[in-house]
């Protein structure tokens, strides 16, 4: 659906994007994560044509994004709905008219029976059919974001771009909004790109993720692979350490993914090998309703080869620290 090839963007002498190349498949929920100033939002604005870029190529549904061709750009932008952190609702309009705004922009009548049916259907989808005549000032933050989602869907986009869409919401409301985005992706087949600095957002809904740092992609892949066994650059980004580990013996970190997450490997190893070891550190993470994680154990040096051979036999990924 979306391909970025060596995209570079500068503001004066400041290079913000330094050769970004990623591919986002049709119907996918894709995450772009990084700290403030990493270039995430600029990248998103380049995808939907709100920002120009100096070199490289971006294609959306096989069409190049070119700001100089305004007619084609507007047609591409019609395929892309946008959700922002601060909702961007007009306080003088009620919920119905806020959702209808993109239709007005494209010269579509908003009071016809067809338009009313469509907007009411979208408000039902986001759970706000009873707020159709409310003003934004009467809504909670989560409700405002639901209105913004309905507005982003009103032109039947193929792509939904979410720029820090949950950053202003509390954790409970964030989970509800993310569940709604998953429902939209599943039922409507819309490709969703989520720009965020929140790791929990990526873990809950994204099928693939790109880590952006200083305008470059430092890692890309399935979230469970990148979070559970992070590369050095990602580990620094996550600021994750294995705590204070014993200086004696051998410390081994085990990584539990699809092949090994359901087996009681630790208790089986203790029983089958008849050895003693200590559990020094561990974590479990929920990735789209599947639990993955890692564990650090400390063993006697004399048991090292036997333990590693056992872990290999159980298809457990490991690393000697």
């Amino acid at each position: 659906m979306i391909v970025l090839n060596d995209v570079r963007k500068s503001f004066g002498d400041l290079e913000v994007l330094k050769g970004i190349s990623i591919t986002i498949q049709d119907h996918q929920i894709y995450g772009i994560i990084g700290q403030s100033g990493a270039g995430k939002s600029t990248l998103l604005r380049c995808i939907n044509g709100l920002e120009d870029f100096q070199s490289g190529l971006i294609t959306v549904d096989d069409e190049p994004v070119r700001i100089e061709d305004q007619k084609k750009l507007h047609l591409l932008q019609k395929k892309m709905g946008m959700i922002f952190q601060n909702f961007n609702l007009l306080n003088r309009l009620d919920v119905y008219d806020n959702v209808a705004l993109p239709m007005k922009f494209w010269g579509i009548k908003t009071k016809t029976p067809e338009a009313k049916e469509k907007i009411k259907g979208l408000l039902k989808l986001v759970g706000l059919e009873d707020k159709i005549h409310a003003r934004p000032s009467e809504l909670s933050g989560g409700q405002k974001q639901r209105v913004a989602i309905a507005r982003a869907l009103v032109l039947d986009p193929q792509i939904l771009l979410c720029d820090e869409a949950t950053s202003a919401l509390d954790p409970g409301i964030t989970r509800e909004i993310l569940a709604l985005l998953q429902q939209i992706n599943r039922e409507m087949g819309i490709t969703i790109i989520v720009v965020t600095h929140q790791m929990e957002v990526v873990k809950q809904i994204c099928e693939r993720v790109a880590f952006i740092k200083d305008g470059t992609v430092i890692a890309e892949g399935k979230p469970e692979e990148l979070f559970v066994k992070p590369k050095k650059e990602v580990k620094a980004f996550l600021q994750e350490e294995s705590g204070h580990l014993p200086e004696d013996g051998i410390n081994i970190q085990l990584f539990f993914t699809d092949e090994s997450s359901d087996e009681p490997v630790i208790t089986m190893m203790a029983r089958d090998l008849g050895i003693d070891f200590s559990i020094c550190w561990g974590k479990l993470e929920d990735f789209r309703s599947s639990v993955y994680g890692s564990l650090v154990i400390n063993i006697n040096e004399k048991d090292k080869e036997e333990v590693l051979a056992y872990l290999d036999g159980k298809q457990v990924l490991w690393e000697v620290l």
Side-chain angles (χ1 to χ4, degrees):
M1 174 59 75
I2 301 171
V3 179
L4 293 86
N5 185 18
D6 196 27
V7 175
R8 296 177 181 273
K9 164 73 178 176
S10 298
F11 293 104
D13 294 331
L14 178 63
E15 191 175 19
V16 180
L17 303 178
K18 305 172 183 177
I20 300 287
S21 297
I22 56 177
T23 298
I24 300 169
Q25 302 295 335
D26 197 11
H27 308 313
Q28 197 170 55
I29 301 182
Y30 194 97
I32 299 174
I33 190 169
Q35 295 171 338
S36 297
K40 313 182 298 298
S41 294
T42 299
L43 183 61
L44 201 66
R45 291 171 63 83
C46 288
I47 291 173
N48 72 356
L50 293 177
E51 290 278 359
D52 201 359
F53 48 96
Q54 277 72 43
S55 64
L57 179 65
I58 299 176
T59 58
V60 175
D61 201 16
D62 294 326
E63 285 288 336
V65 177
R66 302 189 192 280
I67 286 184
E68 61 269 19
D69 191 337
Q70 285 292 306
K71 186 175 180 180
K72 285 188 176 180
L73 178 62
H74 286 159
L75 291 175
L76 268 182
Q77 288 173 331
K78 192 177 181 181
K79 296 181 179 181
M80 295 183 271
M82 190 90 176
I83 308 170
F84 301 91
Q85 177 181 352
N86 58 359
F87 322 127
N88 282 16
L89 303 181
L90 296 184
N91 289 320
R92 62 183 174 83
L93 301 180
D94 64 11
V95 166
Y96 183 98
D97 286 329
N98 266 288
V99 174
L101 269 176
M103 300 174 74
K104 290 183 178 180
F105 177 80
W106 283 92
I108 301 170
K109 294 181 179 179
T110 63
K111 302 300 182 180
T112 64
E114 294 79 11
K116 289 179 180 179
E117 182 180 355
K118 182 171 195 174
I119 291 171
K120 288 179 180 178
L122 288 172
L123 290 175
K124 183 177 181 180
L125 172 69
V126 301
L128 290 180
E129 60 266 41
D130 60 331
K131 300 290 185 181
I132 190 167
H133 297 303
R135 302 278 177 173
S137 59
E138 302 172 73
L139 304 177
S140 68
Q143 290 171 331
K144 290 177 183 178
Q145 196 58 286
R146 288 172 183 271
V147 175
I149 291 171
R151 180 186 58 194
L153 296 174
V154 77
L155 293 177
D156 301 315
Q158 296 175 320
I159 301 162
L160 201 55
L161 306 176
C162 307
D163 191 4
E164 298 282 6
T166 59
S167 296
L169 306 176
D170 65 46
I173 301 300
T174 292
R175 286 190 292 271
E176 292 177 6
I177 294 297
L178 295 180
L180 175 59
L181 291 176
Q182 284 180 301
Q183 179 187 351
I184 290 167
N185 170 258
R186 183 175 61 251
E187 296 180 2
M188 303 176 74
I190 293 177
T191 305
I192 299 178
I193 303 177
V194 179
V195 161
T196 184
H197 66 272
Q198 298 171 296
M199 269 69 80
E200 295 306 316
V201 170
V202 169
K203 293 173 188 175
Q204 184 174 332
I205 68 170
C206 294
E207 299 160 59
R208 292 189 73 84
V209 60
F211 281 83
I212 307 291
K213 181 181 180 182
D214 298 329
T216 62
V217 177
I218 61 172
E220 197 274 348
K222 294 182 179 180
E224 51 268 35
E225 295 173 353
L226 299 182
F227 280 92
V228 172
K229 190 178 181 183
K231 295 165 56 177
K232 181 180 179 181
E233 297 90 341
V234 176
K235 189 177 290 187
F237 171 84
L238 297 174
Q239 297 180 334
E240 181 181 274
E241 297 294 338
S242 299
H244 300 288
L245 302 180
E247 296 182 3
D248 298 328
I250 304 293
N251 295 309
I252 304 173
Q253 187 166 9
L254 317 181
F255 304 98
F256 297 98
T257 54
D258 287 319
E259 293 80 9
S260 58
S261 60
D262 293 332
E263 282 197 71
V265 174
I266 299 300
T267 54
M268 290 168 59
M269 184 171 70
R271 183 176 62 247
D272 294 346
L273 300 184
I275 63 172
D276 295 322
F277 54 83
S278 301
I279 297 176
C280 308
W281 180 88
K283 69 171 183 177
L284 292 174
E285 304 280 5
D286 185 359
F287 293 90
R288 304 183 307 285
S289 300
S290 296
V291 177
Y292 304 100
S294 63
L295 196 69
V296 177
I297 63 173
N298 180 267
I299 64 172
N300 291 323
E301 191 161 355
K302 64 182 179 62
D303 298 322
K304 177 181 176 181
E305 298 305 321
E306 189 177 17
V307 166
L308 297 183
Y310 187 90
L311 295 174
D312 287 338
K314 294 294 182 182
Q315 294 185 307
V316 177
L317 297 174
W318 55 266
E319 179 182 2
V320 176
L321 301 178

